[in-house]
mmCIF file of all heavy atoms in Angstrom:
data_model
loop_
_atom_site.group_PDB
_atom_site.id
_atom_site.type_symbol
_atom_site.label_atom_id
_atom_site.label_comp_id
_atom_site.label_asym_id
_atom_site.label_seq_id
_atom_site.Cartn_x
_atom_site.Cartn_y
_atom_site.Cartn_z
ATOM 1 N N GLY A 1 0.808 -1.223 -0.003
ATOM 2 C CA GLY A 1 -0.007 0.010 0.017
ATOM 3 C C GLY A 1 0.834 1.266 -0.004
ATOM 4 O O GLY A 1 2.028 1.260 -0.362
ATOM 5 N N VAL A 2 0.217 2.360 0.424
ATOM 6 C CA VAL A 2 0.878 3.664 0.391
ATOM 7 C C VAL A 2 0.705 4.376 1.745
ATOM 8 O O VAL A 2 -0.022 3.866 2.603
ATOM 9 C CB VAL A 2 0.240 4.541 -0.716
ATOM 10 C CG1 VAL A 2 0.590 4.030 -2.078
ATOM 11 C CG2 VAL A 2 -1.269 4.659 -0.549
ATOM 12 N N LYS A 3 1.372 5.475 1.906
ATOM 13 C CA LYS A 3 1.230 6.278 3.115
ATOM 14 C C LYS A 3 0.940 7.712 2.721
ATOM 15 O O LYS A 3 1.003 8.092 1.529
ATOM 16 C CB LYS A 3 2.455 6.182 3.989
ATOM 17 C CG LYS A 3 3.719 6.715 3.324
ATOM 18 C CD LYS A 3 4.904 6.573 4.255
ATOM 19 C CE LYS A 3 6.174 7.183 3.636
ATOM 20 N NZ LYS A 3 7.347 7.094 4.551
ATOM 21 N N HIS A 4 0.665 8.552 3.687
ATOM 22 C CA HIS A 4 0.337 9.932 3.406
ATOM 23 C C HIS A 4 1.510 10.723 2.894
ATOM 24 O O HIS A 4 2.659 10.467 3.254
ATOM 25 C CB HIS A 4 -0.225 10.631 4.660
ATOM 26 C CG HIS A 4 -1.612 10.206 5.001
ATOM 27 N ND1 HIS A 4 -1.867 9.413 6.080
ATOM 28 C CD2 HIS A 4 -2.810 10.405 4.392
ATOM 29 C CE1 HIS A 4 -3.163 9.177 6.121
ATOM 30 N NE2 HIS A 4 -3.750 9.758 5.121
ATOM 31 N N GLN A 5 1.204 11.682 2.034
ATOM 32 C CA GLN A 5 2.222 12.575 1.516
ATOM 33 C C GLN A 5 1.834 14.021 1.863
ATOM 34 O O GLN A 5 0.718 14.436 1.625
ATOM 35 C CB GLN A 5 2.354 12.432 0.003
ATOM 36 C CG GLN A 5 3.323 13.404 -0.589
ATOM 37 C CD GLN A 5 3.476 13.246 -2.109
ATOM 38 O OE1 GLN A 5 4.525 13.507 -2.652
ATOM 39 N NE2 GLN A 5 2.427 12.810 -2.782
ATOM 40 N N TYR A 6 2.791 14.743 2.425
ATOM 41 C CA TYR A 6 2.541 16.140 2.797
ATOM 42 C C TYR A 6 3.264 17.093 1.845
ATOM 43 O O TYR A 6 3.492 18.237 2.187
ATOM 44 C CB TYR A 6 2.974 16.370 4.249
ATOM 45 C CG TYR A 6 2.080 15.692 5.262
ATOM 46 C CD1 TYR A 6 2.255 14.345 5.587
ATOM 47 C CD2 TYR A 6 1.035 16.369 5.870
ATOM 48 C CE1 TYR A 6 1.444 13.729 6.490
ATOM 49 C CE2 TYR A 6 0.189 15.748 6.789
ATOM 50 C CZ TYR A 6 0.387 14.428 7.094
ATOM 51 O OH TYR A 6 -0.418 13.794 7.976
ATOM 52 N N PHE A 7 3.570 16.570 0.667
ATOM 53 C CA PHE A 7 4.148 17.384 -0.419
ATOM 54 C C PHE A 7 5.362 18.230 0.060
ATOM 55 O O PHE A 7 5.433 19.443 -0.184
ATOM 56 C CB PHE A 7 3.066 18.328 -0.986
ATOM 57 C CG PHE A 7 1.824 17.603 -1.433
ATOM 58 C CD1 PHE A 7 0.666 17.648 -0.690
ATOM 59 C CD2 PHE A 7 1.835 16.790 -2.586
ATOM 60 C CE1 PHE A 7 -0.477 16.936 -1.057
ATOM 61 C CE2 PHE A 7 0.710 16.101 -2.953
ATOM 62 C CZ PHE A 7 -0.440 16.182 -2.220
ATOM 63 N N GLY A 8 6.281 17.534 0.719
ATOM 64 C CA GLY A 8 7.498 18.190 1.120
ATOM 65 C C GLY A 8 7.385 18.913 2.439
ATOM 66 O O GLY A 8 8.348 19.582 2.891
ATOM 67 N N ASN A 9 6.232 18.858 3.093
ATOM 68 C CA ASN A 9 6.013 19.565 4.351
ATOM 69 C C ASN A 9 5.728 18.568 5.453
ATOM 70 O O ASN A 9 4.689 18.583 6.110
ATOM 71 C CB ASN A 9 4.857 20.539 4.235
ATOM 72 C CG ASN A 9 5.089 21.595 3.169
ATOM 73 O OD1 ASN A 9 5.892 22.537 3.347
ATOM 74 N ND2 ASN A 9 4.424 21.444 2.021
ATOM 75 N N ASP A 10 6.694 17.677 5.703
ATOM 76 C CA ASP A 10 6.508 16.603 6.671
ATOM 77 C C ASP A 10 6.231 17.120 8.083
ATOM 78 O O ASP A 10 5.683 16.392 8.914
ATOM 79 C CB ASP A 10 7.655 15.619 6.649
ATOM 80 C CG ASP A 10 7.679 14.767 5.381
ATOM 81 O OD1 ASP A 10 6.641 14.761 4.673
ATOM 82 O OD2 ASP A 10 8.709 14.140 5.101
ATOM 83 N N HIS A 11 6.665 18.346 8.392
ATOM 84 C CA HIS A 11 6.420 18.903 9.693
ATOM 85 C C HIS A 11 4.958 19.166 9.941
ATOM 86 O O HIS A 11 4.543 19.360 11.079
ATOM 87 C CB HIS A 11 7.233 20.202 9.894
ATOM 88 C CG HIS A 11 6.933 21.248 8.865
ATOM 89 N ND1 HIS A 11 7.391 21.195 7.588
ATOM 90 C CD2 HIS A 11 6.226 22.408 8.944
ATOM 91 C CE1 HIS A 11 6.982 22.254 6.895
ATOM 92 N NE2 HIS A 11 6.262 23.000 7.728
ATOM 93 N N TRP A 12 4.129 19.161 8.891
ATOM 94 C CA TRP A 12 2.687 19.310 9.050
ATOM 95 C C TRP A 12 2.074 18.097 9.743
ATOM 96 O O TRP A 12 0.978 18.192 10.330
ATOM 97 C CB TRP A 12 2.013 19.529 7.729
ATOM 98 C CG TRP A 12 2.312 20.846 7.069
ATOM 99 C CD1 TRP A 12 3.052 21.871 7.570
ATOM 100 C CD2 TRP A 12 1.870 21.270 5.777
ATOM 101 N NE1 TRP A 12 3.101 22.908 6.647
ATOM 102 C CE2 TRP A 12 2.376 22.548 5.541
ATOM 103 C CE3 TRP A 12 1.091 20.676 4.785
ATOM 104 C CZ2 TRP A 12 2.123 23.254 4.354
ATOM 105 C CZ3 TRP A 12 0.836 21.376 3.589
ATOM 106 C CH2 TRP A 12 1.341 22.651 3.400
ATOM 107 N N ARG A 13 2.742 16.975 9.630
ATOM 108 C CA ARG A 13 2.186 15.724 10.151
ATOM 109 C C ARG A 13 1.808 15.835 11.618
ATOM 110 O O ARG A 13 0.791 15.276 12.058
ATOM 111 C CB ARG A 13 3.214 14.579 9.957
ATOM 112 C CG ARG A 13 2.693 13.195 10.225
ATOM 113 C CD ARG A 13 3.845 12.187 10.152
ATOM 114 N NE ARG A 13 4.550 12.301 8.876
ATOM 115 C CZ ARG A 13 4.218 11.671 7.760
ATOM 116 N NH1 ARG A 13 3.158 10.878 7.791
ATOM 117 N NH2 ARG A 13 4.922 11.827 6.678
ATOM 118 N N GLU A 14 2.597 16.537 12.387
ATOM 119 C CA GLU A 14 2.344 16.672 13.811
ATOM 120 C C GLU A 14 1.021 17.372 14.076
ATOM 121 O O GLU A 14 0.345 17.091 15.046
ATOM 122 C CB GLU A 14 3.474 17.489 14.444
ATOM 123 C CG GLU A 14 3.307 17.729 15.948
ATOM 124 C CD GLU A 14 4.398 18.638 16.505
ATOM 125 O OE1 GLU A 14 5.354 18.980 15.747
ATOM 126 O OE2 GLU A 14 4.330 18.946 17.706
ATOM 127 N N HIS A 15 0.644 18.311 13.220
ATOM 128 C CA HIS A 15 -0.554 19.102 13.445
ATOM 129 C C HIS A 15 -1.751 18.644 12.617
ATOM 130 O O HIS A 15 -2.896 19.067 12.845
ATOM 131 C CB HIS A 15 -0.282 20.560 13.114
ATOM 132 C CG HIS A 15 0.950 21.122 13.753
ATOM 133 N ND1 HIS A 15 1.096 21.146 15.113
ATOM 134 C CD2 HIS A 15 2.053 21.669 13.202
ATOM 135 C CE1 HIS A 15 2.288 21.678 15.369
ATOM 136 N NE2 HIS A 15 2.892 22.005 14.268
ATOM 137 N N ALA A 16 -1.508 17.771 11.600
ATOM 138 C CA ALA A 16 -2.572 17.353 10.718
ATOM 139 C C ALA A 16 -2.479 15.839 10.488
ATOM 140 O O ALA A 16 -1.912 15.380 9.473
ATOM 141 C CB ALA A 16 -2.458 18.094 9.381
ATOM 142 N N PRO A 17 -3.019 15.029 11.406
ATOM 143 C CA PRO A 17 -2.914 13.586 11.251
ATOM 144 C C PRO A 17 -3.713 13.082 10.050
ATOM 145 O O PRO A 17 -4.758 13.658 9.713
ATOM 146 C CB PRO A 17 -3.533 13.061 12.579
ATOM 147 C CG PRO A 17 -4.451 14.147 13.026
ATOM 148 C CD PRO A 17 -3.757 15.423 12.610
ATOM 149 N N GLY A 18 -3.209 12.029 9.419
ATOM 150 C CA GLY A 18 -3.931 11.429 8.299
ATOM 151 C C GLY A 18 -4.772 10.268 8.772
ATOM 152 O O GLY A 18 -5.033 10.093 9.975
ATOM 153 N N LEU A 19 -5.210 9.442 7.826
ATOM 154 C CA LEU A 19 -6.141 8.362 8.151
ATOM 155 C C LEU A 19 -5.846 7.116 7.330
ATOM 156 O O LEU A 19 -6.582 6.796 6.393
ATOM 157 C CB LEU A 19 -7.567 8.826 7.960
ATOM 158 C CG LEU A 19 -8.680 7.987 8.589
ATOM 159 C CD1 LEU A 19 -8.502 7.898 10.076
ATOM 160 C CD2 LEU A 19 -10.062 8.578 8.288
ATOM 161 N N LYS A 20 -4.739 6.437 7.669
ATOM 162 C CA LYS A 20 -4.375 5.226 6.949
ATOM 163 C C LYS A 20 -4.261 4.005 7.867
ATOM 164 O O LYS A 20 -4.309 2.896 7.381
ATOM 165 C CB LYS A 20 -3.032 5.444 6.232
ATOM 166 C CG LYS A 20 -3.117 6.240 4.936
ATOM 167 C CD LYS A 20 -3.835 5.466 3.862
ATOM 168 C CE LYS A 20 -3.856 6.229 2.552
ATOM 169 N NZ LYS A 20 -4.676 5.528 1.530
ATOM 170 N N THR A 21 -4.062 4.236 9.160
ATOM 171 C CA THR A 21 -3.844 3.128 10.082
ATOM 172 C C THR A 21 -4.805 3.255 11.288
ATOM 173 O O THR A 21 -5.427 4.279 11.503
ATOM 174 C CB THR A 21 -2.407 3.127 10.598
ATOM 175 O OG1 THR A 21 -2.188 4.278 11.442
ATOM 176 C CG2 THR A 21 -1.395 3.128 9.464
ATOM 177 N N VAL A 22 -4.833 2.187 12.077
ATOM 178 C CA VAL A 22 -5.621 2.197 13.309
ATOM 179 C C VAL A 22 -5.144 3.324 14.247
ATOM 180 O O VAL A 22 -5.949 4.034 14.833
ATOM 181 C CB VAL A 22 -5.544 0.850 14.033
ATOM 182 C CG1 VAL A 22 -5.985 0.945 15.470
ATOM 183 C CG2 VAL A 22 -6.358 -0.215 13.300
ATOM 184 N N GLU A 23 -3.838 3.445 14.332
ATOM 185 C CA GLU A 23 -3.273 4.479 15.200
ATOM 186 C C GLU A 23 -3.685 5.856 14.743
ATOM 187 O O GLU A 23 -3.978 6.732 15.565
ATOM 188 C CB GLU A 23 -1.726 4.353 15.216
ATOM 189 C CG GLU A 23 -1.201 3.176 15.987
ATOM 190 C CD GLU A 23 -1.307 1.871 15.210
ATOM 191 O OE1 GLU A 23 -1.588 1.895 13.987
ATOM 192 O OE2 GLU A 23 -1.127 0.787 15.820
ATOM 193 N N HIS A 24 -3.713 6.088 13.437
ATOM 194 C CA HIS A 24 -4.193 7.369 12.919
ATOM 195 C C HIS A 24 -5.634 7.628 13.322
ATOM 196 O O HIS A 24 -5.985 8.729 13.757
ATOM 197 C CB HIS A 24 -4.103 7.367 11.378
ATOM 198 C CG HIS A 24 -2.722 7.406 10.854
ATOM 199 N ND1 HIS A 24 -2.407 6.921 9.574
ATOM 200 C CD2 HIS A 24 -1.541 7.819 11.370
ATOM 201 C CE1 HIS A 24 -1.120 7.047 9.391
ATOM 202 N NE2 HIS A 24 -0.595 7.628 10.463
ATOM 203 N N ALA A 25 -6.491 6.605 13.193
ATOM 204 C CA ALA A 25 -7.890 6.771 13.512
ATOM 205 C C ALA A 25 -8.080 7.087 14.975
ATOM 206 O O ALA A 25 -8.895 7.931 15.355
ATOM 207 C CB ALA A 25 -8.677 5.512 13.085
ATOM 208 N N LEU A 26 -7.360 6.381 15.851
ATOM 209 C CA LEU A 26 -7.484 6.612 17.282
ATOM 210 C C LEU A 26 -6.949 7.960 17.660
ATOM 211 O O LEU A 26 -7.506 8.654 18.539
ATOM 212 C CB LEU A 26 -6.769 5.492 18.058
ATOM 213 C CG LEU A 26 -7.370 4.097 17.889
ATOM 214 C CD1 LEU A 26 -6.541 3.070 18.660
ATOM 215 C CD2 LEU A 26 -8.824 4.071 18.355
ATOM 216 N N GLU A 27 -5.849 8.384 17.028
ATOM 217 C CA GLU A 27 -5.318 9.725 17.309
ATOM 218 C C GLU A 27 -6.307 10.803 16.887
ATOM 219 O O GLU A 27 -6.559 11.782 17.588
ATOM 220 C CB GLU A 27 -3.997 9.935 16.576
ATOM 221 C CG GLU A 27 -3.406 11.339 16.800
ATOM 222 C CD GLU A 27 -2.212 11.625 15.935
ATOM 223 O OE1 GLU A 27 -1.795 10.764 15.128
ATOM 224 O OE2 GLU A 27 -1.677 12.758 16.050
ATOM 225 N N MET A 28 -6.922 10.578 15.719
ATOM 226 C CA MET A 28 -7.891 11.548 15.212
ATOM 227 C C MET A 28 -9.091 11.623 16.132
ATOM 228 O O MET A 28 -9.603 12.704 16.460
ATOM 229 C CB MET A 28 -8.302 11.161 13.803
ATOM 230 C CG MET A 28 -9.042 12.244 13.026
ATOM 231 S SD MET A 28 -9.343 11.806 11.286
ATOM 232 C CE MET A 28 -7.725 11.984 10.584
ATOM 233 N N ARG A 29 -9.590 10.450 16.563
ATOM 234 C CA ARG A 29 -10.725 10.415 17.481
ATOM 235 C C ARG A 29 -10.383 11.153 18.776
ATOM 236 O O ARG A 29 -11.210 11.929 19.320
ATOM 237 C CB ARG A 29 -11.137 8.975 17.777
ATOM 238 C CG ARG A 29 -12.409 8.854 18.581
ATOM 239 C CD ARG A 29 -12.804 7.398 18.829
ATOM 240 N NE ARG A 29 -11.920 6.808 19.786
ATOM 241 C CZ ARG A 29 -12.052 5.530 20.206
ATOM 242 N NH1 ARG A 29 -12.984 4.771 19.696
ATOM 243 N NH2 ARG A 29 -11.190 5.013 21.100
#
């Protein structure tokens, strides 16, 4: 599969979680 891409702005990941894994979903919730 694939993972999220922040188009060269990986530091956004801390403030903008994606939704590809269980951990992502639980963090988002």
Side-chain angles (χ1 to χ4, degrees):
V2 292
K3 62 180 183 179
H4 286 108
Q5 176 178 210
Y6 290 83
F7 306 106
N9 300 285
D10 288 346
H11 58 285
W12 291 356
R13 189 186 307 272
E14 178 184 356
H15 310 301
L19 195 58
K20 283 291 182 184
T21 67
V22 164
E23 289 76 13
H24 290 155
L26 294 178
E27 178 188 1
M28 194 174 286
R29 186 179 73 179

